[in-house]
Amino acid sequence: MTLRLVILASGRGSNAKAILNAIQHHELDAEVCLLISNKPDAPVLEMAQEYGVKTQVIASKGLSRETHEDFLIKAIQPLNPDYIVLAGYMRLFTAKFVNTFNTNRQYRIINIHPSLLPCFKGAHAYHDAWDACVPESGISIHYVTEAMDEGPILSQNTFPRMPFDTFQSFQERGLALEHQLYPKVLQQLAIEKSSINNNFQQETTACLPV
Ligand code: GRF
């Protein structure tokens, strides 16, 4: 069953693009109901529009976290998405926001982070991993809680630091992995949604009088 997604992104949007590409190529059974950016000039907005995705700017500048989140909740809640997908969304959420969407004891917000969590949390994970000269780094996809870059891990994958690497080639290797992993994890959730739905239908059918 098609997964209903709302994407939140603040910048370039290469992960959002990977997700939209996977949908377009039928590798991901999902629809993006809305892409929201907190930055009016984020390149991700134009990219999403090229895929025919509805976009909305909900600017965060000058607003308290709570006020900004109230606007987000108003925009997202009526769409009833299965998941809110953070794709380079450079803001932390309050417990109120997270709990608004984590209903029925299910996590509903997903983030991608460019390190092997719990190592290198924060906004500069590629730089921090590079500076630490780790022989191997990685990518984490995790559910979101109010604590930064915490929450249960959905999937992780590693990539090596090669002797000839520059910071740029190291980061590019990681980013390529991000673009593979995010759509795959979301497709796994789409499969799970379908199987929950099928089981429900079978149970319902079994209860119907003949
Ligand atoms: C990615 O490296 C992602 O892991 C991190 O922010 C970056 C966003 O890049 N959270 P993009 O906007 O998806 O290109």
Side-chain angles (χ1 to χ4, degrees):
M1 220 188 150
T2 303
L3 216 54
R4 289 174 61 76
L5 306 177
V6 168
I7 297 181
L8 267 56
S10 301
R12 148 187 81 175
S14 67
N15 276 288
K17 187 177 167 81
I19 291 166
L20 292 170
N21 243 326
I23 294 173
Q24 196 173 64
H25 289 94
H26 307 288
E27 291 157 8
L28 169 57
D29 183 12
E31 61 171 313
V32 177
C33 318
L34 181 65
L35 183 141
I36 300 175
S37 182
N38 62 315
K39 301 270 187 197
D41 55 353
V44 67
L45 290 163
E46 204 181 313
M47 183 284 296
Q49 286 155 13
E50 281 165 14
Y51 281 83
V53 170
K54 196 176 162 205
T55 62
Q56 190 173 349
V57 174
I58 301 184
S60 51
K61 200 173 174 187
L63 297 183
S64 70
R65 203 141 66 112
E66 288 74 11
T67 307
H68 179 244
E69 287 181 356
D70 283 345
F71 285 122
L72 285 179
I73 291 169
K74 268 195 202 125
I76 298 170
Q77 238 175 2
L79 300 172
N80 195 25
D82 294 299
Y83 294 100
I84 297 170
V85 174
L86 309 185
Y89 192 66
M90 305 310 279
R91 289 180 64 84
L92 288 178
F93 293 119
T94 62
K96 182 192 162 194
F97 182 87
V98 170
N99 294 330
T100 299
F101 294 103
N102 287 351
T103 50
N104 300 330
R105 302 212 319 241
Q106 254 203 288
Y107 291 100
R108 298 264 179 212
I109 311 173
I110 302 172
N111 184 40
I112 186 160
H113 183 77
S115 77
L116 279 181
L117 291 172
C119 295
F120 309 120
K121 294 176 185 174
H124 309 290
Y126 279 122
H127 277 286
D128 294 342
W130 174 259
D131 290 345
C133 294
V134 289
E136 183 177 77
S137 193
I139 301 304
S140 304
I141 295 178
H142 65 98
Y143 288 120
V144 171
T145 63
E146 68 265 32
M148 184 182 66
D149 298 330
E150 291 190 12
I153 302 281
L154 275 151
S155 185
Q156 287 183 310
N157 216 336
T158 59
F159 64 94
R161 174 177 174 145
M162 303 297 215
F164 50 80
D165 265 340
T166 59
F167 170 71
Q168 195 188 342
S169 61
F170 174 75
Q171 187 179 27
E172 278 169 3
R173 190 171 305 115
L175 201 56
L177 199 58
E178 292 189 44
H179 300 160
Q180 284 171 24
L181 196 59
Y182 220 173
K184 272 193 194 151
V185 168
L186 294 173
Q187 176 56 13
Q188 191 52 44
L189 294 172
I191 291 168
E192 281 168 25
K193 182 181 174 184
S194 292
S195 76
I196 289 167
N197 203 52
N198 286 341
N199 288 342
F200 177 72
Q201 277 178 358
Q202 275 163 19
E203 280 166 29
T204 317
T205 312
C207 294
L208 285 173
V210 266

